[in-house]
Amino acid sequence: MTKKTTPPKQSIGNSHFLHEACQALGYDEQVFALLAGASREFKVQLPLLCDDGSLKIFYGYRVQHHNALGPYKGGLRFHPSVDMQEAHTLAALMSLKTALVKVPFGGAKGGINCDPRSLSRRELESLTRAFVEKIHRGIGPNLDIPAPDVGTNEQVMAWIQDEYSKIYGYTLGVVTGKPILIGGSQGRTEATGTGVAIVMQQHARHQAQKLEGKTVVIQGFGNVGTHCANAFKRLGMKVIAISDSKGALFDEAGLDLHAICQHREKGKPVSTYPQARQISNQDLLKLPCDFLVPAAMGNVIDGKTAREIKAKVVVEAANSPTTFEGDQVLMERGIPVLPDILANAGGVIVSYFEWVQNMQQMPWEKNQITEQLTTKLSKASDEVFAVATGKQCSYRQAAYLIATQRLRDAVATVTI
Ligand code: NAD
């Protein structure tokens, strides 16, 4: 596989990686266009009567990429950055992720262009229910199954399931990542973070290295970042820096994660925790460490940042944190990247387990979830490492080769 490639003329978001894989697999431009584009997209207007009597207009988006491998599946993001292009990029990424880890789902993504932190609970609930009212014909347990992502959580999923159930009757399986009490799964909240640690363990085995004592820097301390940090701590690793949107914290000796979580529970940004050094979000990315784990937003590692990174390995807990240029710089500098479609796939794997439990009306025990998650992710990791070794390419290129071929074969079976 060549290390450099010409970016595609038709580029939806960051589809360069997909284009590169299509070229390496010998697919023509029409196949690339088929895989890069989405089957369907929705954009709906969401007027919200705010608590102070004012009217605000938001927009909701859902992009359904491909469903040849199963119902569309992907997160709902509530963040001011949400738009159609972001949804397209992340929906395609979901199709590749589910193909790579062999869960029988297609890819989707969406959300609302709002800042949930600036909304009251009533406003957030109204906005969520209004979104379901507008898109309910496009979602469902055998059609499209949303899940939490940035700015959403199990409460938002509960409102979606309830609103959908008002129309179609009680429907488990229309969303995953919901509270256990109403059909959620054991282990779903922490699944993405747990999965990141499983992939790192498998990588360490592959390299005949130990994770114990290794230093980690995590960008983003939300659902994924927090559970990554907890999992790393259990493995004896040292988390030396974390951040949220307001700033970052650093302690060479290792941060007291428990105390920081208690500080956050009082409603304070993690960066205001007084017993560690405050640094900027940009400086966090440049800290010397064994592992840098972006666990927040997309495109944070561009070409410039990639030249300044001092981590030995980058682990993409976030979706699409590295631009195509950033990836090429990291490759040239010999810094391996455990790519998003592998590293953060634990979330969609346990979402699949949740959906299976919902369809069977039969809850699983936590140890069954952990065991099957570990098996699935370890197998997918081994496959990626084997292809990367065999083809002398990066882990991302290997993951894209496997996923693109699987997706193309499935799409071809029903389309071409
Ligand atoms: P979240 O909303 O729970 O947390 C996001 C965190 O990122 C927050 O701490 C926020 O303050 C922080 N943040 C935002 N902008 C930042 C910036 N510029 N610098 C530093 N921190 C910043 O969201 P999440 O569910 O933890 O998702 C994080 C990432 O993981 C996203 O890319 C998401 O797509 C991806 N992901 C999530 C899941 C899941 O199961 N939730 C699964 C797979 C991938």
Side-chain angles (χ1 to χ4, degrees):
M1 190 150 186
T2 50
K3 286 212 162 184
K4 288 252 181 192
T5 185
T6 321
K9 283 198 193 90
Q10 180 205 347
S11 174
I12 297 165
N14 202 350
S15 56
H16 299 49
F17 298 124
L18 177 64
H19 190 257
E20 190 184 52
C22 286
Q23 279 189 328
L25 289 161
Y27 299 160
D28 64 32
E29 287 298 312
Q30 282 312 303
V31 172
F32 165 68
L34 184 67
L35 300 184
S39 308
R40 276 211 286 194
E41 60 180 46
F42 302 89
K43 178 179 179 183
V44 295
Q45 192 186 53
L46 302 169
L48 175 71
L49 191 59
C50 299
D51 293 347
D52 64 4
S54 67
L55 180 70
K56 280 195 187 138
I57 313 289
F58 296 97
Y59 286 91
Y61 301 86
R62 189 73 178 165
V63 171
Q64 297 175 336
H65 182 247
H66 278 287
N67 65 351
L69 287 163
Y72 301 108
K73 181 89 189 87
L76 273 186
R77 187 174 279 197
F78 286 4
H79 191 273
S81 73
V82 170
D83 62 15
M84 196 59 93
Q85 169 141 331
E86 185 188 77
H88 268 278
T89 304
L90 297 173
L93 203 71
M94 280 305 296
S95 290
L96 291 162
K97 196 183 297 182
T98 52
L100 179 68
V101 298
K102 289 189 177 169
V103 298
F105 286 139
K109 204 78 177 192
I112 302 175
N113 65 341
C114 67
D115 177 2
R117 292 168 309 178
S118 70
L119 300 174
S120 69
R121 186 183 160 93
R122 187 207 65 81
E123 290 169 338
L124 190 61
E125 178 175 353
S126 297
L127 196 58
T128 306
R129 289 185 185 275
F131 187 41
V132 179
E133 217 177 283
K134 293 259 169 101
I135 65 154
H136 66 85
R137 284 182 196 84
I139 61 171
N142 291 308
L143 184 52
D144 181 358
I145 308 140
D149 195 84
V150 175
T152 56
N153 54 23
E154 58 174 36
Q155 177 59 70
V156 173
M157 296 305 118
W159 289 326
I160 295 174
Q161 177 162 295
D162 184 57
E163 196 61 28
Y164 186 88
S165 295
K166 282 183 195 167
I167 306 163
Y168 296 97
Y170 197 79
T171 313
L172 285 171
V174 61
V175 285
T176 56
K178 54 197 173 284
I180 291 175
L181 202 57
I182 58 161
S185 176
Q186 298 278 353
R188 173 59 185 93
T189 312
E190 60 271 36
T192 307
T194 309
V196 171
I198 293 169
V199 172
M200 285 167 70
Q201 277 178 289
Q202 204 61 8
H203 180 246
R205 273 186 210 112
H206 183 76
Q207 300 285 309
Q209 283 179 358
K210 279 196 173 145
L211 290 179
E212 207 180 342
K214 293 280 191 318
T215 54
V216 197
V217 166
I218 305 174
Q219 185 201 41
F221 203 57
N223 174 296
V224 175
T226 305
H227 290 293
C228 277
N230 292 338
F232 299 156
K233 202 175 148 195
R234 287 195 294 274
L235 293 173
M237 300 173 80
K238 197 159 70 168
V239 179
I240 58 167
I242 58 165
S243 62
D244 62 13
S245 57
K246 304 263 188 268
L249 282 179
F250 171 59
D251 187 342
E252 215 173 348
L255 292 165
D256 183 343
L257 297 170
H258 181 67
I260 294 169
C261 287
Q262 282 183 328
H263 178 81
R264 182 177 58 182
E265 273 160 29
K266 291 178 197 150
K268 299 175 188 170
V270 295
S271 54
T272 59
Y273 173 74
Q275 264 89 49
R277 207 173 106 205
Q278 290 186 13
I279 58 169
S280 73
N281 265 324
Q282 202 50 31
D283 285 346
L284 170 132
L285 297 170
K286 300 178 206 161
L287 287 170
C289 58
D290 292 303
F291 295 94
L292 171 64
V293 182
M297 304 305 288
N299 299 328
V300 290
I301 305 181
D302 57 12
K304 182 175 178 298
T305 303
R307 278 179 207 100
E308 295 171 335
I309 281 174
K310 296 186 192 73
K312 291 183 187 144
V313 181
V314 172
V315 186
E316 295 183 335
N319 280 316
S320 201
T322 311
T323 66
F324 185 68
E325 193 199 347
D327 193 63
Q328 301 233 316
V329 171
L330 292 175
M331 248 190 312
E332 279 159 18
R333 295 186 57 211
I335 299 175
V337 178
L338 292 170
D340 45 12
I341 59 171
L342 174 67
N344 71 34
V348 74
I349 293 174
V350 179
S351 271
Y352 166 54
F353 297 160
E354 180 174 330
W355 179 81
V356 171
Q357 294 169 72
N358 292 163
M359 300 313 256
Q360 297 176 335
Q361 304 265 7
M362 173 79 86
W364 299 0
E365 297 297 328
K366 176 95 181 264
N367 59 358
Q368 193 180 350
I369 306 273
T370 313
E371 219 172 273
Q372 297 212 27
L373 172 66
T374 308
T375 307
K376 258 195 167 313
L377 267 181
S378 304
K379 270 192 191 162
S381 303
D382 287 345
E383 215 178 330
V384 169
F385 302 147
V387 171
T389 307
K391 295 206 177 286
Q392 291 287 293
C393 66
S394 73
Y395 297 138
R396 189 188 317 276
Q397 288 169 329
Y400 267 72
L401 282 177
I402 300 165
T404 305
Q405 185 164 18
R406 240 172 237 160
L407 187 59
R408 184 257 167 214
D409 289 352
V411 172
T413 310
V414 292
T415 311
I416 302 172

Short mmCIF file of all heavy atoms in Angstrom, two decimals, residues 29-65:
data_model
loop_
_atom_site.label_atom_id
_atom_site.label_comp_id
_atom_site.label_asym_id
_atom_site.label_seq_id
_atom_site.Cartn_x
_atom_site.Cartn_y
_atom_site.Cartn_z
N GLU A 29 -13.94 4.61 -9.31
CA GLU A 29 -14.47 5.82 -8.65
C GLU A 29 -15.96 5.70 -8.32
O GLU A 29 -16.45 6.31 -7.38
CB GLU A 29 -14.22 7.06 -9.53
CG GLU A 29 -12.78 7.52 -9.56
CD GLU A 29 -12.23 7.95 -8.19
OE1 GLU A 29 -12.90 8.73 -7.49
OE2 GLU A 29 -11.14 7.49 -7.81
N GLN A 30 -16.68 4.89 -9.12
CA GLN A 30 -18.13 4.72 -8.85
C GLN A 30 -18.35 3.97 -7.53
O GLN A 30 -19.27 4.27 -6.78
CB GLN A 30 -18.80 3.98 -10.01
CG GLN A 30 -19.06 4.84 -11.22
CD GLN A 30 -19.70 6.17 -10.85
OE1 GLN A 30 -20.76 6.22 -10.24
NE2 GLN A 30 -19.06 7.26 -11.21
N VAL A 31 -17.49 2.98 -7.28
CA VAL A 31 -17.60 2.25 -6.01
C VAL A 31 -17.28 3.20 -4.85
O VAL A 31 -17.98 3.24 -3.83
CB VAL A 31 -16.68 1.00 -5.99
CG1 VAL A 31 -16.67 0.37 -4.61
CG2 VAL A 31 -17.15 0.00 -7.03
N PHE A 32 -16.23 4.01 -5.04
CA PHE A 32 -15.91 4.99 -4.00
C PHE A 32 -17.10 5.93 -3.77
O PHE A 32 -17.50 6.18 -2.63
CB PHE A 32 -14.66 5.80 -4.38
CG PHE A 32 -14.50 7.04 -3.54
CD1 PHE A 32 -14.19 6.93 -2.18
CD2 PHE A 32 -14.70 8.31 -4.07
CE1 PHE A 32 -14.08 8.07 -1.38
CE2 PHE A 32 -14.60 9.45 -3.27
CZ PHE A 32 -14.29 9.32 -1.93
N ALA A 33 -17.69 6.42 -4.88
CA ALA A 33 -18.83 7.35 -4.75
C ALA A 33 -19.99 6.67 -4.01
O ALA A 33 -20.65 7.29 -3.17
CB ALA A 33 -19.28 7.83 -6.13
N LEU A 34 -20.19 5.39 -4.31
CA LEU A 34 -21.28 4.64 -3.67
C LEU A 34 -21.04 4.53 -2.16
O LEU A 34 -21.95 4.71 -1.35
CB LEU A 34 -21.35 3.24 -4.30
CG LEU A 34 -22.47 2.32 -3.86
CD1 LEU A 34 -23.82 2.86 -4.29
CD2 LEU A 34 -22.27 0.92 -4.43
N LEU A 35 -19.79 4.25 -1.78
CA LEU A 35 -19.49 4.05 -0.36
C LEU A 35 -19.34 5.38 0.39
O LEU A 35 -19.59 5.45 1.58
CB LEU A 35 -18.22 3.21 -0.19
CG LEU A 35 -18.24 1.81 -0.79
CD1 LEU A 35 -16.96 1.07 -0.47
CD2 LEU A 35 -19.44 0.99 -0.30
N ALA A 36 -18.90 6.42 -0.32
CA ALA A 36 -18.70 7.71 0.35
C ALA A 36 -20.03 8.43 0.58
O ALA A 36 -20.19 9.16 1.56
CB ALA A 36 -17.77 8.58 -0.48
N GLY A 37 -20.97 8.22 -0.32
CA GLY A 37 -22.26 8.90 -0.19
C GLY A 37 -23.19 8.13 0.77
O GLY A 37 -22.92 7.00 1.13
N ALA A 38 -24.27 8.80 1.16
CA ALA A 38 -25.21 8.16 2.08
C ALA A 38 -26.51 7.80 1.36
O ALA A 38 -26.84 8.39 0.34
CB ALA A 38 -25.51 9.11 3.23
N SER A 39 -27.25 6.84 1.93
CA SER A 39 -28.54 6.45 1.35
C SER A 39 -29.58 7.55 1.51
O SER A 39 -30.36 7.82 0.61
CB SER A 39 -29.11 5.22 2.04
OG SER A 39 -28.19 4.20 2.08
N ARG A 40 -29.64 8.15 2.73
CA ARG A 40 -30.71 9.12 3.04
C ARG A 40 -30.22 10.14 4.03
O ARG A 40 -29.38 9.83 4.86
CB ARG A 40 -31.84 8.40 3.78
CG ARG A 40 -32.83 7.71 3.04
CD ARG A 40 -34.18 7.70 3.70
NE ARG A 40 -34.31 6.80 4.84
CZ ARG A 40 -35.49 6.48 5.35
NH1 ARG A 40 -36.60 6.95 4.83
NH2 ARG A 40 -35.57 5.69 6.41
N GLU A 41 -30.82 11.32 3.98
CA GLU A 41 -30.53 12.32 5.01
C GLU A 41 -31.81 13.06 5.39
O GLU A 41 -32.70 13.23 4.57
CB GLU A 41 -29.46 13.31 4.51
CG GLU A 41 -29.87 14.07 3.26
CD GLU A 41 -28.81 15.04 2.76
OE1 GLU A 41 -27.64 14.64 2.69
OE2 GLU A 41 -29.18 16.17 2.43
N PHE A 42 -31.88 13.44 6.66
CA PHE A 42 -33.02 14.23 7.14
C PHE A 42 -32.49 15.53 7.75
O PHE A 42 -31.49 15.51 8.45
CB PHE A 42 -33.75 13.53 8.30
CG PHE A 42 -34.28 12.17 8.00
CD1 PHE A 42 -33.49 11.04 8.20
CD2 PHE A 42 -35.58 12.00 7.55
CE1 PHE A 42 -33.98 9.78 7.95
CE2 PHE A 42 -36.07 10.73 7.30
CZ PHE A 42 -35.27 9.61 7.50
N LYS A 43 -33.20 16.63 7.49
CA LYS A 43 -32.93 17.87 8.22
C LYS A 43 -34.29 18.40 8.65
O LYS A 43 -35.16 18.59 7.80
CB LYS A 43 -32.21 18.89 7.33
CG LYS A 43 -31.95 20.21 8.04
CD LYS A 43 -31.21 21.20 7.16
CE LYS A 43 -30.99 22.50 7.91
NZ LYS A 43 -30.35 23.51 7.07
N VAL A 44 -34.46 18.61 9.94
CA VAL A 44 -35.77 19.07 10.42
C VAL A 44 -35.62 20.32 11.27
O VAL A 44 -34.65 20.47 12.01
CB VAL A 44 -36.50 17.95 11.23
CG1 VAL A 44 -36.83 16.77 10.35
CG2 VAL A 44 -35.69 17.49 12.43
N GLN A 45 -36.60 21.21 11.15
CA GLN A 45 -36.58 22.43 11.95
C GLN A 45 -37.21 22.16 13.31
O GLN A 45 -38.26 21.49 13.39
CB GLN A 45 -37.36 23.52 11.23
CG GLN A 45 -37.16 24.89 11.84
CD GLN A 45 -38.05 25.94 11.20
OE1 GLN A 45 -39.27 25.74 11.13
NE2 GLN A 45 -37.46 27.03 10.75
N LEU A 46 -36.59 22.67 14.37
CA LEU A 46 -37.08 22.41 15.72
C LEU A 46 -37.25 23.72 16.49
O LEU A 46 -36.33 24.17 17.16
CB LEU A 46 -36.10 21.49 16.46
CG LEU A 46 -35.81 20.13 15.82
CD1 LEU A 46 -34.64 19.44 16.49
CD2 LEU A 46 -37.05 19.24 15.89
N PRO A 47 -38.44 24.34 16.40
CA PRO A 47 -38.65 25.56 17.18
C PRO A 47 -38.81 25.21 18.66
O PRO A 47 -39.48 24.23 18.98
CB PRO A 47 -39.97 26.12 16.62
CG PRO A 47 -40.39 25.19 15.53
CD PRO A 47 -39.62 23.93 15.64
N LEU A 48 -38.17 25.97 19.54
CA LEU A 48 -38.26 25.68 20.98
C LEU A 48 -38.72 26.92 21.72
O LEU A 48 -38.09 27.99 21.62
CB LEU A 48 -36.88 25.24 21.51
CG LEU A 48 -36.82 25.01 23.02
CD1 LEU A 48 -37.58 23.76 23.43
CD2 LEU A 48 -35.37 24.93 23.51
N LEU A 49 -39.82 26.77 22.47
CA LEU A 49 -40.28 27.86 23.34
C LEU A 49 -39.48 27.75 24.63
O LEU A 49 -39.64 26.80 25.40
CB LEU A 49 -41.78 27.71 23.60
CG LEU A 49 -42.46 28.90 24.26
CD1 LEU A 49 -42.31 30.18 23.43
CD2 LEU A 49 -43.92 28.60 24.53
N CYS A 50 -38.59 28.72 24.87
CA CYS A 50 -37.69 28.63 26.02
C CYS A 50 -38.40 29.04 27.31
O CYS A 50 -39.48 29.63 27.29
CB CYS A 50 -36.48 29.53 25.79
SG CYS A 50 -35.55 29.04 24.35
N ASP A 51 -37.76 28.71 28.44
CA ASP A 51 -38.35 28.99 29.75
C ASP A 51 -38.63 30.48 29.95
O ASP A 51 -39.57 30.86 30.65
CB ASP A 51 -37.41 28.50 30.86
CG ASP A 51 -37.29 26.98 30.87
OD1 ASP A 51 -38.12 26.32 30.21
OD2 ASP A 51 -36.38 26.46 31.54
N ASP A 52 -37.81 31.33 29.32
CA ASP A 52 -38.00 32.78 29.50
C ASP A 52 -39.02 33.36 28.51
O ASP A 52 -39.18 34.57 28.41
CB ASP A 52 -36.66 33.52 29.37
CG ASP A 52 -36.05 33.37 27.97
OD1 ASP A 52 -36.70 32.76 27.09
OD2 ASP A 52 -34.92 33.87 27.77
N GLY A 53 -39.70 32.48 27.76
CA GLY A 53 -40.75 32.93 26.83
C GLY A 53 -40.23 33.22 25.43
O GLY A 53 -41.02 33.45 24.51
N SER A 54 -38.91 33.21 25.25
CA SER A 54 -38.36 33.51 23.92
C SER A 54 -38.45 32.27 23.02
O SER A 54 -38.58 31.14 23.51
CB SER A 54 -36.91 33.98 24.02
OG SER A 54 -36.11 32.91 24.48
N LEU A 55 -38.35 32.50 21.71
CA LEU A 55 -38.39 31.39 20.75
C LEU A 55 -37.01 31.20 20.15
O LEU A 55 -36.38 32.16 19.71
CB LEU A 55 -39.39 31.73 19.63
CG LEU A 55 -39.56 30.68 18.54
CD1 LEU A 55 -40.27 29.44 19.06
CD2 LEU A 55 -40.32 31.27 17.35
N LYS A 56 -36.54 29.95 20.16
CA LYS A 56 -35.25 29.66 19.51
C LYS A 56 -35.48 28.58 18.46
O LYS A 56 -36.26 27.66 18.68
CB LYS A 56 -34.23 29.15 20.54
CG LYS A 56 -33.58 30.25 21.34
CD LYS A 56 -32.35 29.74 22.07
CE LYS A 56 -31.83 30.82 23.01
NZ LYS A 56 -31.42 30.29 24.30
N ILE A 57 -34.78 28.72 17.33
CA ILE A 57 -34.93 27.72 16.25
C ILE A 57 -33.66 26.87 16.19
O ILE A 57 -32.56 27.41 16.01
CB ILE A 57 -35.15 28.39 14.87
CG1 ILE A 57 -36.20 29.49 14.93
CG2 ILE A 57 -35.48 27.34 13.81
CD1 ILE A 57 -37.62 29.03 15.13
N PHE A 58 -33.83 25.59 16.33
CA PHE A 58 -32.70 24.65 16.17
C PHE A 58 -32.98 23.77 14.96
O PHE A 58 -34.09 23.74 14.42
CB PHE A 58 -32.55 23.77 17.43
CG PHE A 58 -32.20 24.55 18.66
CD1 PHE A 58 -33.18 24.95 19.57
CD2 PHE A 58 -30.88 24.89 18.93
CE1 PHE A 58 -32.86 25.68 20.70
CE2 PHE A 58 -30.54 25.62 20.06
CZ PHE A 58 -31.53 26.01 20.95
N TYR A 59 -31.93 23.03 14.54
CA TYR A 59 -32.10 22.07 13.44
C TYR A 59 -31.61 20.69 13.87
O TYR A 59 -30.58 20.57 14.54
CB TYR A 59 -31.34 22.54 12.18
CG TYR A 59 -32.08 23.68 11.54
CD1 TYR A 59 -31.78 25.00 11.88
CD2 TYR A 59 -33.13 23.44 10.66
CE1 TYR A 59 -32.50 26.05 11.34
CE2 TYR A 59 -33.86 24.49 10.11
CZ TYR A 59 -33.54 25.79 10.45
OH TYR A 59 -34.27 26.82 9.93
N GLY A 60 -32.39 19.69 13.51
CA GLY A 60 -32.01 18.31 13.80
C GLY A 60 -31.60 17.62 12.51
O GLY A 60 -32.16 17.89 11.44
N TYR A 61 -30.60 16.73 12.61
CA TYR A 61 -30.06 16.04 11.42
C TYR A 61 -29.99 14.54 11.68
O TYR A 61 -29.75 14.11 12.82
CB TYR A 61 -28.64 16.52 11.11
CG TYR A 61 -28.53 18.00 10.86
CD1 TYR A 61 -28.38 18.91 11.92
CD2 TYR A 61 -28.59 18.50 9.56
CE1 TYR A 61 -28.29 20.27 11.69
CE2 TYR A 61 -28.50 19.86 9.32
CZ TYR A 61 -28.35 20.74 10.38
OH TYR A 61 -28.26 22.10 10.15
N ARG A 62 -30.20 13.76 10.66
CA ARG A 62 -29.91 12.33 10.72
C ARG A 62 -29.46 11.89 9.33
O ARG A 62 -30.18 12.16 8.34
CB ARG A 62 -31.15 11.53 11.15
CG ARG A 62 -30.86 10.06 11.44
CD ARG A 62 -30.11 9.85 12.73
NE ARG A 62 -29.86 8.45 13.04
CZ ARG A 62 -28.98 8.03 13.96
NH1 ARG A 62 -28.28 8.90 14.67
NH2 ARG A 62 -28.80 6.76 14.20
N VAL A 63 -28.29 11.30 9.26
CA VAL A 63 -27.80 10.77 7.99
C VAL A 63 -27.72 9.26 8.11
O VAL A 63 -27.13 8.73 9.07
CB VAL A 63 -26.42 11.36 7.62
CG1 VAL A 63 -25.82 10.63 6.41
CG2 VAL A 63 -26.54 12.84 7.32
N GLN A 64 -28.34 8.55 7.17
CA GLN A 64 -28.30 7.09 7.16
C GLN A 64 -27.38 6.68 6.01
O GLN A 64 -27.70 6.89 4.84
CB GLN A 64 -29.72 6.54 7.00
CG GLN A 64 -30.58 6.95 8.20
CD GLN A 64 -32.04 6.56 8.08
OE1 GLN A 64 -32.55 6.39 6.97
NE2 GLN A 64 -32.72 6.47 9.21
N HIS A 65 -26.24 6.12 6.35
CA HIS A 65 -25.20 5.87 5.36
C HIS A 65 -25.49 4.64 4.52
O HIS A 65 -25.91 4.74 3.38
CB HIS A 65 -23.83 5.79 6.06
CG HIS A 65 -22.69 5.59 5.11
ND1 HIS A 65 -21.95 4.44 5.07
CD2 HIS A 65 -22.19 6.39 4.15
CE1 HIS A 65 -21.04 4.55 4.11
NE2 HIS A 65 -21.15 5.73 3.54
#
